[in-house]
Amino acid sequence: MELSLSPLIYVAIFGAVLLLINGIYLLAFGRSIEHDSKLNRRLVLLEKGNGKKDVMEQLRKERSIHSGGLSLPIYGLLEDRARKGNIAFSARTLLLLMVGLSVFSFVMLSLATASELSMRIGIAVVFGFGGVFFWVSSKAKKRVAAIEEQLPEAIDLMVRSLRVGHPFGAALGIAADEVADPLGTELGLIADEISYGRDAGEAIAEFGERVDLQDLRFFAVAVSIQQKSGGNLAEILDGLSKVVRSRFKLFRRVRAITAEARWSGMFLSIFPLVALVAIQAIKPDYYDNVKETPLYLPLAIVVCLFLIINVLYMRKMTDIKV
């Protein structure tokens, strides 16, 4: 039985693309730019002797790199994910990186496989564009999840500070110093902006819109209402903290309940692709007799469409809003 190594080569090249993206990112910006670090990046910059104003300007400059650009759908989607993940690369740089990695993938495919030119070009484009988009999306998802998990603890710290008499700006700064990244640096930046005269509700609301978190929008509304009409902000935030924790607990419970459906959908979506790769590896000429028939390409497109519909439908069924 003749085995084909082409599927393993494709997997290895895609893995090399992902490693290359991360390597370029770390080489360009260093480990300190990683926003999922346990260290508070804002405090690290302050400890290096930088002034509070200089640190605030640097962090605001990094944050505004994804403040808007072209209205192209792919560009806008990429920019939105990069904004949520606070990726230091701009969307234009990411697009150039996609092109460069597509060329890299094409060269590697040309050296390692004997597939047709059109197939190599198609796979190279998928690897280059898909690899960068997958990397940015994973960074964004991980960062937003971390912020959502850290938020109740940060609000509790603010509540305790407010109850002992600290103003809101000072309470926010204390929470920022105690909470790790990614939330710690964001809260510290908001506290610095408030100390320079920016409206607290506006700054928090802008942060909530940037990472697209409903809990942060609730937080911004609570602060804005208290500033305009008065009231016990500590009690309001204490109630908000309990609501956020309850939502987070319910969300995890929903994920546990829908785990079987999600894994079933993932298996049903991935199994045909795994079967295709296994057949190509075990018997590369398995489809040679049908490739030249006129129905081969239309039916292959129909199968791909059904797979995409299956993925989207299963994801919609298990995506329960909490």
Side-chain angles (χ1 to χ4, degrees):
M1 181 183 296
E2 183 182 355
L3 296 177
S4 173
L5 296 178
S6 297
L8 296 178
I9 293 174
Y10 294 148
V11 173
I13 292 175
F14 185 71
V17 168
L18 294 179
L19 291 175
L20 192 57
I21 298 169
N22 205 55
I24 293 173
Y25 191 69
L26 293 178
L27 184 63
F29 300 103
R31 182 65 188 174
S32 63
I33 203 68
E34 287 288 293
H35 301 285
D36 57 352
S37 172
K38 296 298 181 183
L39 299 176
N40 189 313
R41 185 163 178 264
R42 171 176 166 271
L43 294 181
V44 171
L45 293 174
L46 289 173
E47 288 176 358
K48 290 181 179 179
N50 299 320
K52 182 181 290 188
K53 185 177 181 181
D54 295 332
V55 172
M56 184 181 71
E57 290 299 326
Q58 179 179 345
L59 293 176
R60 291 187 68 183
K61 184 178 180 181
E62 293 175 1
R63 188 177 66 181
S64 63
I65 195 171
H66 302 292
S67 58
L70 301 177
S71 58
L72 297 175
I74 298 178
Y75 185 94
L77 184 61
L78 181 64
E79 190 174 52
D80 179 67
R81 299 292 176 88
R83 185 186 301 113
K84 290 180 182 178
N86 207 14
I87 305 297
F89 283 138
S90 66
R92 289 184 175 85
T93 304
L94 290 172
L95 287 175
L96 292 176
L97 194 59
M98 286 178 171
V99 175
L101 289 173
S102 297
V103 174
F104 167 79
S105 300
F106 177 76
V107 172
M108 296 301 295
L109 289 168
S110 299
L111 294 176
T113 65
S115 54
E116 298 178 358
L117 178 62
S118 58
M119 185 175 179
R120 277 180 282 154
I121 293 175
I123 295 176
V125 171
V126 170
F127 282 3
F129 282 71
V132 173
F133 191 81
F134 174 80
W135 179 78
V136 172
S137 298
S138 62
K139 288 278 188 182
K141 185 177 181 180
K142 185 178 180 180
R143 182 171 183 268
V144 172
I147 291 174
E148 190 174 23
E149 188 171 359
Q150 289 177 309
L151 186 59
E153 177 188 352
I155 295 177
D156 286 342
L157 289 171
M158 291 179 225
V159 169
R160 288 194 286 269
S161 299
L162 291 170
R163 283 175 174 168
V164 299
H166 290 292
F168 176 71
L172 192 64
I174 292 171
D177 293 342
E178 295 296 329
V179 178
D181 274 349
L183 185 59
T185 294
E186 292 287 353
L187 293 181
L189 180 57
I190 293 173
D192 292 340
E193 290 177 337
I194 293 173
S195 67
Y196 279 93
R198 188 177 184 185
D199 180 74
E202 177 188 337
I204 298 171
E206 190 272 336
F207 175 39
E209 292 298 327
R210 184 153 41 87
V211 297
D212 193 22
L213 269 183
Q214 192 66 31
D215 295 332
L216 283 170
R217 297 189 182 101
F218 292 154
F219 183 26
V221 170
V223 172
S224 298
I225 291 175
Q226 192 276 336
Q227 288 180 333
K228 294 176 181 177
S229 59
N232 191 335
L233 183 58
E235 294 300 324
I236 296 173
L237 294 184
D238 185 48
L240 177 62
S241 174
K242 293 177 181 177
V243 170
V244 173
R245 289 183 189 277
S246 298
R247 289 183 71 247
F248 197 70
K249 183 179 179 180
L250 181 59
F251 178 72
R252 286 188 168 181
R253 185 177 179 183
V254 169
R255 284 187 62 85
I257 293 173
T258 59
E260 182 181 357
R262 285 187 288 107
W263 281 101
S264 297
M266 188 181 302
F267 175 79
L268 292 173
S269 303
I270 295 177
F271 179 75
L273 300 178
V274 174
L276 177 63
V277 171
I279 291 172
Q280 286 295 109
I282 297 173
K283 191 174 178 56
D285 58 345
Y286 185 80
Y287 294 105
D288 288 350
N289 294 330
V290 297
K291 279 184 179 179
E292 303 301 327
T293 60
L295 292 177
Y296 175 76
L297 185 59
L299 290 178
I301 294 174
V302 170
V303 170
C304 291
L305 290 176
F306 275 125
L307 284 175
I308 294 172
I309 292 172
N310 173 70
V311 172
L312 296 177
Y313 189 73
M314 294 300 295
R315 184 175 180 181
K316 184 69 174 178
M317 289 180 62
T318 57
D319 185 20
I320 300 175
K321 301 297 181 182
V322 179

